[in-house]
Amino acid sequence: MPRRGAAAEEVGIEIDEDVSDSDDGANRRRANRRQAGGRGGGGARGRGRGKKADSEEEEDEEEEAPKRRARGGNKRGAANKRGGGKNDDDDSEDEAPKKKRGGAANRRKGGKAQESEEDDSEAEKGKRGKRGGKKGGKEEDKGKGKKGDAKGKDKGKDDDKDKKKKKKKDDSSSDSSSNSDEEEESMSEGEMARLMEEVEEKKKLIANIRNKPWRMKRRLVLLREAQQFVDKFEGALGKGKGRKWYAYKVMMTKKWIKFQRDFENFRTACIPWERKIKEVESHFGSSVASYFIFLRWMYGMNLVLFGLTFGLVVIPEVLMGLPYGSIPRKTVPRAEQDTAQDYSVLMDFNGYCKYSVLFYGYYNDQRTIGLLKFRLPLSYLLVGIGSFGYSLMLVIRTMAKNADVGGGDGEEGEFTFAWKMFTSWDYLIGNAETADNKYASITTSFKESIVDEQENQKDENIHLRRFLRVLANFLITCSLGGSGYLIYFVVKRSQEFANRDDLSWYEKNELELIMSLLGLVCPPLFETIAELEDYHPRIALKWQLGRIFALFLGNLYTFLFALFDEVNSKLEEEQSIKNASIWAMKEYYANYSRLLNDTDATPPPMDPGDVIRGPCWETAVGIEFVKLTVSDIQVTYLTILIGDFARAVIVRFLNYCWCWDLEAGFPSYGEFDISGNVLGLVFNQGMIWMGAFYAPGLVGINVLRLLSSMYYQCWAVMATNVPHERVFKASKSNNFYMGLLLLILFLSLLPVVYTIMTLPPSFDCGPFSGKTKMFDVIMETIDLDLPAFMGTLFSYAANPGLIIPAVLLMVLAIYYLNSVSKAYQNSNMELKKKMQMARDEEKNRRNNKDSTNQVMKDLEDLLPNRSLSPPAPPEPEKTPEPEAKPTKTKPGSAGKGVNLQKDVALASSNPNARGPVDRPPGPRGPGPGPGRGRGRGRGPPPR
Amino acid sequence: MGNKQTIFTAQQLDAYQVGYGSHFLLFYRYRDLAPQLVPLDYTNQPDVKLPYELIGSMPELKDNPFRQRIAEVFSEDGEGNMTLDDFLDMFSVLSEMAPRDLKAYYAFKIYDFNNDDFICKSDLEKTLNKLTRNELTEDEVKMVCEKVIDEADLDNDGRLSLEDFQNMINRAPDFLSTFHIRI
């Protein structure tokens, strides 16, 4: 009982404080309202006040928050760190159990006091339930004396509804004692509004109860009360949505979340090979996975190219063009017809392959085909150019996007290891296999970060390192130069050889031999030399890529050189054949008419197989590229099969009967060769870009290749390879790969554009036959199909006077954008530095000062090791309170009785009643720990 | 429907329903762990506890390296034996509806193996070894633990307090998405 008395006093104090807070000439009404809020009890006070926008109140409350939290036990402390308004009500309710021990420390509202009251009764008498609580409240009212007394008696054991009435009465009485009728009117209105707020608040509590850090039993109790409150008062306020509505809303939120999750899953499931790649990544690290991601990206791009080429060129030709055998270019020549179906011929892409839609020569130069008047030649040219345009755009866009990503992850370095440690395990995993993968991936990622970290910590002789790096670069430049010269020399020789017939086998194949020898020897050599440099493996990979790339450029160079030679000779040959074929045609007609002696008779067309053809250099080029691509595929796959799979099998099974440990010793298992594979992919793509114009079918072949390669290599890497010795993290952006790709794209763009712009197309094959230049088809379209003014427009646009300014403008724009991006980069760096500094500063401050963060302080106090000190506060703390009481009780006293009573009924919960269950997982600190005193008045809790 | 009413009183039912949207699911999961132990009638709130061996063998937990800690943290007796309420608590904290701070607090508890309210080096080592199945070498483990403390320890006392932990975890991008269990 004495404690109850104390609580009542506090209520008085509380109200008084409010008044003094408001400070502006004792604004009665306000005070009253606030009192009313107090009377409402429950959890709604924070809201109600907030609505009134009483800033002082807010502040007060904020100050109070830490204290409350302090009392609330560590569990709540943790949860309330953010301490938004949302949590306020919880706080007030949380407080209840603490007060039992803490000596009814709540100065704020009657309601709280009430709660504490109830706690007492409940804790003492077990589960007496509401009754007990109410009784307690009533007694309290009495103890307080004042007006509330009478009212309290009236309603003491009644329903909540009664309480509301009571409240009104209470208000009116207090009003009448001080103010006019008019004011009374508005008061009751305010009451209504406030009550509604409360109801809302309770409803919110109901909705959020699942988020509260309470033990189940407490939750249930609180929930029941809140529901009762809402049920009762909602009726009174005339809006009866209530709990069901909230239950519905909660349900809908749940459904929505589930939907979002499913959608997310669906989207992930739509990303092809995501799981495969993740699996590889978990075992081999992100560097190996980056290759597969790159492969997937390439596949996507090639799929679009394939769609363009087949949709706009190949399929229209097949569907609407003339069928096979109708015209010479679509027919195998008679001389070849016998062998045209031989396997070896077909494998060389001669015979039927050569005269099929796969190659340039098959397409007819008819301006429009089919019913749709499809302009195939135009479409052919535009698709060729469009493929390049699309690829260029895509590569550049991807690079830009990746650069964005690269800029964004700057601050991630702060907690690399900590995050890995505490957030990497996915608690959703409920499957042994997935768990195994996860273990592997966590281990791998730790290893990656460890490698990074070791690299950071490495500091030895920097001069030696520099010297070694220079030396290594020198050596590699030498070997690159050497091999470059060798290639040049061999190409020259091969040109000489080309004119001779008496060649040995070696001389015939010299070029190929030298090239493959270089390709075989140089990469390992570079790798060995790179050991000298001792770079981080990620950077070493880039160097390695760059160097091998330079070497392979030699490959490309020889290949193109040979090709151009071939094309030139074919062009010469063509000139003579052209004359010959025209002559042959004339002969044929002449013979025909002479034999029949009838000049009027139209001769039947010549059998298409007999017509003399030109060499059709375009098809020849196309065949070269297709052959190259196919042989590349074969070599790659065979290498994997022999180099990796056979090796793995031998190592694995011969190990049982061998004199040394094969697995740990010499042959061991292969590692995945990232640089080789990436470069293979890049150069292959170069071949596709160059060859696609002359062999539309190449794109299809490439798509198949990438598709099979994805499965095959995924299997091979998982089955036969071991992770790198130093698993390293790939750079966030794949931009280095993209850069290589862009370079290759440019390189392959050059010869194609050159041939399109300068070389005359073959006279008897391909969609541009009969024109002097391939792009004439555009002129033709402009002239014939577009209105005249478009022609003039184009001629203006092609005017040098326009083009040169445009180029200048572009250069200027590039310059401008470049400098802007530099400036941004600088400011970015500045900001990063500042952030780092701020962080350091904060750290220092924390170390020097005891603590700056009030909430954290309070939380710390909750931790048992500090709060192990006996919970002294409860008794002592009561004493200071009463002192203030006599002076301050007056203003709020009127409403108090009722107020308390109501609270009893509303919040009769005894959150503490759970007894033994009540503790949070850890040992719980006594509520009103030492933190409480400190918490008060130290300014708002951070965040 | 009929049998549900017999499991809980209407009031319990009501409260559970709002408190946990899927309480029946959870209840049945709980009961399925040990049908012989858990009565179908919870109206008089029987005092039933399931031993850790049963809790830890739930499919949701059985592959989790921290399952024992989870059970210990959420159980009342600290040894992993759970009542229905503990069980509901556990899944409420680990549900995706739970707020970040609550999750962070319990995560802290889970990683605090020796219950001293600080995550110290030995806790970190244990965590790391559980995560990687002891595949890192001694030196690596040591280095990682030092790095973690170096990164997250704001007051330089060589161990992570709850404050440090929260500060760190609140910025972690995928903490919320990984620290939850669906049921």
Side-chain angles (χ1 to χ4, degrees):
Chain A
M1 270 303 105
R3 259 194 248 163
R4 260 171 221 162
E9 283 160 13
E10 274 171 45
V11 173
I13 291 158
E14 175 72 14
I15 290 156
D16 200 67
E17 271 180 7
D18 283 351
V19 174
S20 57
D21 275 348
S22 61
D23 214 22
D24 48 353
N27 185 338
R28 269 268 152 142
R29 208 203 281 176
R30 239 207 208 165
N32 273 335
R33 258 189 222 165
R34 246 173 259 141
Q35 280 158 240
R39 264 173 260 142
R45 265 153 272 126
R47 273 305 128 120
R49 258 174 280 130
K51 192 189 157 205
K52 274 182 256 162
D54 188 337
S55 61
E56 284 158 323
E57 290 264 351
E58 288 292 338
E59 210 176 286
D60 192 354
E61 179 171 288
E62 270 173 353
E63 281 168 8
E64 197 117 33
K67 188 186 70 188
R68 275 191 224 152
R69 263 168 232 142
R71 262 177 265 133
N74 19 7
K75 187 162 60 166
R76 257 150 277 142
N80 286 338
K81 197 190 146 205
R82 293 215 177 148
K86 186 184 103 188
N87 280 347
D88 270 345
D89 50 338
D90 320 340
D91 286 337
S92 58
E93 271 159 0
D94 290 349
E95 257 171 278
K98 291 297 150 192
K99 262 179 235 146
K100 173 183 62 180
R101 264 176 276 162
N106 192 342
R107 298 182 183 83
R108 195 118 189 84
K109 300 286 175 189
K112 281 174 208 162
Q114 200 71 29
E115 275 176 85
S116 74
E117 208 53 45
E118 283 175 25
D119 288 348
D120 279 353
S121 58
E122 293 234 351
E124 282 159 18
K125 297 162 197 172
K127 282 217 165 183
R128 240 175 16 161
K130 262 178 206 168
R131 281 272 127 173
K134 271 183 204 166
K135 254 184 233 162
K138 197 173 142 201
E139 277 164 333
E140 160 127 74
D141 285 326
K142 277 175 190 165
K144 225 195 309 166
K146 313 278 156 153
K147 265 188 208 165
D149 196 358
K151 258 99 202 180
K153 254 185 241 162
D154 288 348
K155 322 286 170 177
K157 298 185 176 177
D158 276 352
D159 270 355
D160 292 337
K161 269 179 191 166
D162 289 3
K163 249 186 251 160
K164 197 201 152 202
K165 269 188 248 161
K166 166 185 67 187
K167 207 187 274 173
K168 259 190 189 169
K169 269 186 220 165
D170 194 21
D171 279 332
S172 61
S173 61
S174 67
D175 278 342
S176 60
S177 68
S178 55
N179 273 324
S180 68
D181 288 2
E182 162 226 12
E183 202 148 4
E184 180 186 340
E185 196 71 59
S186 63
M187 268 319 295
S188 66
E189 237 170 59
E191 276 295 300
M192 285 292 271
R194 194 196 39 69
L195 202 58
M196 266 159 80
E197 292 275 334
E198 268 169 42
V199 170
E200 285 301 311
E201 205 55 36
K202 282 280 182 198
K203 280 198 237 165
K204 227 173 129 196
L205 173 67
I206 294 171
N208 291 334
I209 193 132
R210 224 172 303 173
N211 298 347
K212 309 295 184 216
W214 302 323
R215 287 278 176 190
M216 199 63 213
K217 269 182 195 165
R218 231 191 109 200
R219 245 188 264 235
L220 296 183
V221 172
L222 284 178
L223 190 68
R224 203 180 312 134
E225 284 149 20
Q227 276 175 1
Q228 276 167 0
F229 181 88
V230 170
D231 286 349
K232 304 250 159 80
F233 279 92
E234 221 158 39
L237 288 171
K239 46 180 233 170
K241 291 177 280 178
R243 176 169 54 100
K244 272 182 190 151
W245 168 244
Y246 267 87
Y248 175 74
K249 247 170 107 176
V250 169
M251 197 187 74
M252 286 318 282
T253 332
K254 252 194 124 150
K255 286 251 160 71
W256 174 239
I257 287 174
K258 188 174 180 313
F259 170 77
Q260 277 177 323
R261 194 171 63 209
D262 288 347
F263 187 70
E264 203 54 40
N265 285 348
F266 174 73
R267 261 183 36 186
T268 321
C270 283
I271 302 175
W273 305 305
E274 184 69 6
R275 282 190 52 199
K276 259 184 192 308
I277 292 177
K278 279 272 174 287
E279 203 181 334
V280 169
E281 182 172 359
S282 62
H283 286 95
F284 291 84
S286 50
S287 48
V288 174
S290 75
Y291 164 71
F292 286 99
I293 292 171
F294 187 55
L295 180 60
R296 183 175 64 187
W297 184 89
M298 292 280 246
Y299 179 71
M301 185 182 73
N302 277 286
L303 218 52
V304 175
L305 295 186
F306 174 77
L308 274 179
T309 315
F310 273 69
L312 294 178
V313 174
V314 177
I315 293 180
E317 174 69 31
V318 169
L319 292 181
M320 301 187 283
L322 294 169
Y324 171 83
S326 53
I327 47 172
R329 70 186 65 179
K330 297 191 179 193
T331 318
V332 179
R334 197 169 295 283
E336 295 172 27
Q337 264 172 11
D338 297 337
T339 58
Q341 257 180 324
D342 287 5
Y343 179 73
S344 61
V345 173
L346 286 180
M347 278 326 278
D348 275 346
F349 295 97
N350 274 319
Y352 283 113
C353 269
K354 189 176 173 184
Y355 300 94
S356 72
V357 278
L358 287 182
F359 295 104
Y360 172 93
Y362 183 81
Y363 295 84
N364 200 358
D365 60 346
Q366 223 178 332
R367 251 196 87 232
T368 60
I369 54 170
L371 287 173
L372 299 174
K373 304 260 178 251
F374 188 78
R375 287 170 179 78
L376 190 79
L378 179 69
S379 155
Y380 196 100
L381 187 70
L382 290 184
V383 164
I385 295 170
S387 297
F388 276 109
Y390 171 77
S391 313
L392 210 59
M393 222 176 61
L394 192 67
V395 171
I396 289 178
R397 260 193 57 184
T398 311
M399 283 182 82
K401 216 165 72 187
N402 285 350
D404 265 2
V405 171
D409 60 13
E411 73 270 41
E412 226 178 69
E414 240 183 278
F415 292 120
T416 326
F417 282 96
W419 285 349
K420 272 204 173 67
M421 178 88 87
F422 295 119
T423 68
S424 59
W425 184 263
D426 190 345
Y427 281 62
L428 279 175
I429 291 174
N431 165 317
E433 202 182 327
T434 326
D436 283 344
N437 277 339
K438 192 70 188 173
Y439 282 121
S441 101
I442 290 174
T443 312
T444 313
S445 82
F446 265 116
K447 279 188 177 155
E448 287 176 356
S449 298
I450 288 171
V451 166
D452 280 0
E453 190 54 33
Q454 279 170 347
E455 215 56 36
N456 285 342
Q457 286 174 355
K458 200 166 61 184
D459 54 343
E460 345 76 277
N461 192 339
I462 195 145
H463 295 295
L464 177 66
R465 175 102 310 119
R466 270 188 200 149
F467 169 73
L468 284 178
R469 282 182 185 171
V470 170
L471 181 69
N473 274 315
F474 175 73
L475 286 177
I476 286 174
T477 317
C478 281
S479 54
L480 272 180
S483 45
Y485 179 74
L486 191 62
I487 293 170
Y488 174 76
F489 178 74
V490 173
V491 169
K492 275 225 133 160
R493 250 163 71 103
S494 74
Q495 280 174 320
E496 271 172 39
F497 289 151
N499 302 326
R500 284 166 37 189
D501 284 335
D502 53 334
L503 293 175
S504 65
W505 179 86
Y506 168 75
E507 280 168 330
K508 263 190 206 159
N509 296 294
E510 191 184 47
L511 185 60
E512 284 78 17
L513 276 176
I514 294 289
M515 292 308 297
S516 39
L517 209 65
L518 280 179
L520 213 65
V521 170
C522 278
L525 181 72
F526 291 167
E527 208 160 333
T528 320
I529 295 176
E531 297 275 301
L532 282 180
E533 299 177 305
D534 197 20
Y535 276 124
H536 183 285
R538 183 166 55 233
I539 301 166
L541 173 69
K542 283 189 182 174
W543 280 101
Q544 176 79 353
L545 277 171
R547 284 160 184 166
I548 302 178
F549 186 83
L551 181 72
F552 279 8
L553 279 186
N555 243 334
L556 201 67
Y557 155 79
T558 50
F559 178 71
L560 287 181
F561 217 88
L563 214 58
F564 268 100
D565 276 354
E566 197 183 327
V567 167
N568 280 330
S569 64
K570 288 240 159 100
L571 279 175
E572 281 165 26
E573 191 187 340
E574 190 186 73
Q575 212 48 46
S576 52
I577 289 183
K578 195 174 173 183
N579 296 337
S581 76
I582 293 169
W583 179 80
M585 189 68 79
K586 270 189 186 156
E587 280 293 279
Y588 172 74
Y589 287 125
N591 283 342
Y592 186 82
S593 42
R594 192 164 57 87
L595 283 177
L596 288 189
N597 270 333
D598 178 6
T599 43
D600 294 335
T602 31
M606 221 167 145
D607 185 292
D610 293 331
V611 175
I612 301 174
R613 337 246 164 109
C616 197
W617 61 268
E618 291 96 337
T619 298
V621 170
I623 287 178
E624 279 305 308
F625 278 108
V626 173
K627 266 196 213 163
L628 203 69
T629 307
V630 169
S631 74
D632 185 41
I633 296 173
Q634 287 166 345
V635 169
T636 314
Y637 284 14
L638 280 180
T639 316
I640 290 173
L641 208 58
I642 294 169
D644 286 326
F645 184 64
R647 178 172 161 188
V649 168
I650 288 171
V651 168
R652 176 81 179 75
F653 291 104
L654 239 56
N655 203 26
Y656 294 123
C657 49
W658 205 258
C659 24
W660 69 82
D661 187 1
L662 287 174
E663 285 184 345
F666 162 58
S668 175
Y669 297 106
E671 285 181 357
F672 186 76
D673 177 17
I674 303 174
S675 56
N677 277 299
V678 167
L679 284 178
L681 207 56
V682 167
F683 275 88
N684 172 62
Q685 192 59 41
M687 295 293 141
I688 305 305
W689 276 323
M690 280 193 271
F693 188 75
Y694 300 113
L698 190 56
V699 191
I701 294 175
N702 191 41
V703 166
L704 287 182
R705 179 233 168 109
L706 293 176
L707 187 66
S708 60
S709 177
M710 182 56 111
Y711 288 104
Y712 184 54
Q713 287 196 299
C714 267
W715 164 78
V717 82
M718 291 299 283
T720 66
N721 286 356
V722 289
H724 290 90
E725 202 177 336
R726 297 177 79 195
V727 186
F728 60 94
K729 203 186 301 174
S731 48
K732 268 273 154 53
S733 55
N734 270 349
N735 266 1
F736 195 75
Y737 301 163
M738 289 291 165
L740 292 182
L741 197 65
L742 191 64
L743 201 57
I744 278 289
L745 180 54
F746 273 119
L747 289 180
S748 51
L749 188 62
L750 291 180
V752 176
V753 169
Y754 172 76
T755 49
I756 291 179
M757 298 307 279
T758 59
L759 295 184
S762 300
F763 74 100
D764 65 344
C765 70
F768 311 113
S769 54
K771 309 211 164 44
T772 47
K773 292 284 183 306
M774 289 180 187
F775 60 83
D776 281 350
V777 72
I778 295 182
M779 309 298 171
E780 191 186 77
T781 311
I782 291 174
D783 288 344
L784 297 182
D785 293 337
L786 295 180
F789 77 92
M790 290 293 276
T792 41
L793 219 66
F794 274 105
S795 68
Y796 285 140
N799 190 336
L802 257 175
I803 289 178
I804 289 172
V807 169
L808 271 180
L809 200 69
M810 274 196 238
V811 170
L812 282 180
I814 289 172
Y815 177 73
Y816 170 73
L817 290 177
N818 199 27
S819 42
V820 165
S821 83
K822 278 240 173 66
Y824 279 139
Q825 242 169 17
N826 277 342
S827 65
N828 207 354
M829 293 292 285
E830 281 300 308
L831 286 178
K832 259 183 207 166
K833 251 188 230 160
K834 269 185 194 161
M835 269 172 62
Q836 183 61 35
M837 264 166 61
R839 209 170 101 80
D840 290 348
E841 205 172 290
E842 195 190 3
K843 231 175 169 176
N844 286 338
R845 215 178 50 206
R846 274 169 201 280
N847 298 340
N848 299 338
K849 258 194 186 179
D850 187 8
S851 170
T852 47
N853 186 334
Q854 199 48 55
V855 178
M856 281 308 168
K857 193 133 195 85
D858 295 330
L859 284 176
E860 259 170 49
D861 289 332
L862 290 175
L863 293 179
N865 60 332
R866 276 201 219 176
S867 49
L868 277 182
S869 53
E875 260 62 42
E877 241 168 280
K878 250 193 269 171
T879 50
E881 249 58 24
E883 293 170 12
K885 171 193 170 188
T887 51
K888 296 188 177 181
T889 336
K890 266 178 271 165
S893 54
K896 217 176 291 162
V898 184
N899 179 3
L900 291 177
Q901 185 110 23
K902 209 175 283 167
D903 281 355
V904 177
L906 301 183
S908 68
S909 67
N910 185 353
N912 216 23
R914 200 178 164 190
V917 194
D918 185 38
R919 71 166 189 85
R924 165 191 242 167
R932 185 183 153 218
R934 261 178 285 170
R936 185 151 177 89
R938 280 245 191 134
R943 259 184 296 151
Chain B
M1 247 337 185
N3 68 334
K4 282 180 186 174
Q5 247 69 35
T6 61
I7 300 172
F8 300 106
T9 62
Q11 217 176 18
Q12 277 175 317
L13 200 65
D14 241 18
Y16 276 123
Q17 179 63 51
V18 182
Y20 293 92
S22 52
H23 65 284
F24 274 117
L25 193 59
L26 280 172
F27 173 74
Y28 285 122
R29 288 306 307 274
Y30 184 70
R31 205 182 106 81
D32 284 348
L33 292 176
Q36 71 282 9
L37 288 180
V38 183
L40 259 177
D41 177 15
Y42 252 74
T43 45
N44 51 359
Q45 311 193 327
D47 182 25
V48 176
K49 276 187 184 179
L50 291 191
Y52 163 69
E53 286 71 33
L54 288 174
I55 300 288
S57 64
M58 287 182 70
E60 282 81 4
L61 289 178
K62 73 176 173 9
D63 293 306
N64 195 316
F66 305 111
R67 58 183 174 280
Q68 181 149 17
R69 277 303 296 167
I70 296 175
E72 282 171 16
V73 162
F74 284 100
S75 63
E76 259 176 73
D77 58 5
E79 302 192 347
N81 307 320
M82 296 188 134
T83 63
L84 176 61
D85 282 351
D86 290 335
F87 190 77
L88 293 179
D89 272 342
M90 174 166 82
F91 282 103
S92 134
V93 169
L94 291 173
S95 81
E96 50 197 319
M97 310 282 280
R100 180 183 273 260
D101 291 314
L102 182 61
K103 279 172 180 272
Y105 176 77
Y106 277 96
F108 180 79
K109 285 271 139 209
I110 287 170
Y111 295 123
D112 177 19
F113 282 82
N114 51 12
N115 286 330
D116 64 352
D117 286 298
F118 284 98
I119 296 185
C120 51
K121 268 204 182 140
S122 64
D123 295 328
L124 288 176
E125 273 165 27
K126 262 186 203 151
T127 311
L128 187 58
N129 283 334
K130 274 187 190 296
L131 273 179
T132 59
R133 286 185 172 165
N134 299 322
E135 278 193 29
L136 297 183
T137 62
E138 289 270 306
D139 286 346
E140 284 170 333
V141 170
K142 220 177 121 217
M143 197 188 114
V144 170
C145 293
E146 272 166 16
K147 277 303 289 178
V148 170
I149 288 189
D150 184 46
E151 284 169 358
D153 182 22
L154 289 176
D155 45 15
N156 280 349
D157 59 354
R159 50 191 189 169
L160 305 186
S161 62
L162 178 58
E163 175 194 357
D164 298 332
F165 187 78
Q166 283 182 328
N167 176 42
M168 180 267 296
I169 216 82
N170 281 340
R171 299 185 205 180
D174 41 10
F175 172 64
L176 281 190
S177 59
T178 56
F179 194 73
H180 82 91
I181 292 182
R182 268 178 230 146
I183 199 159

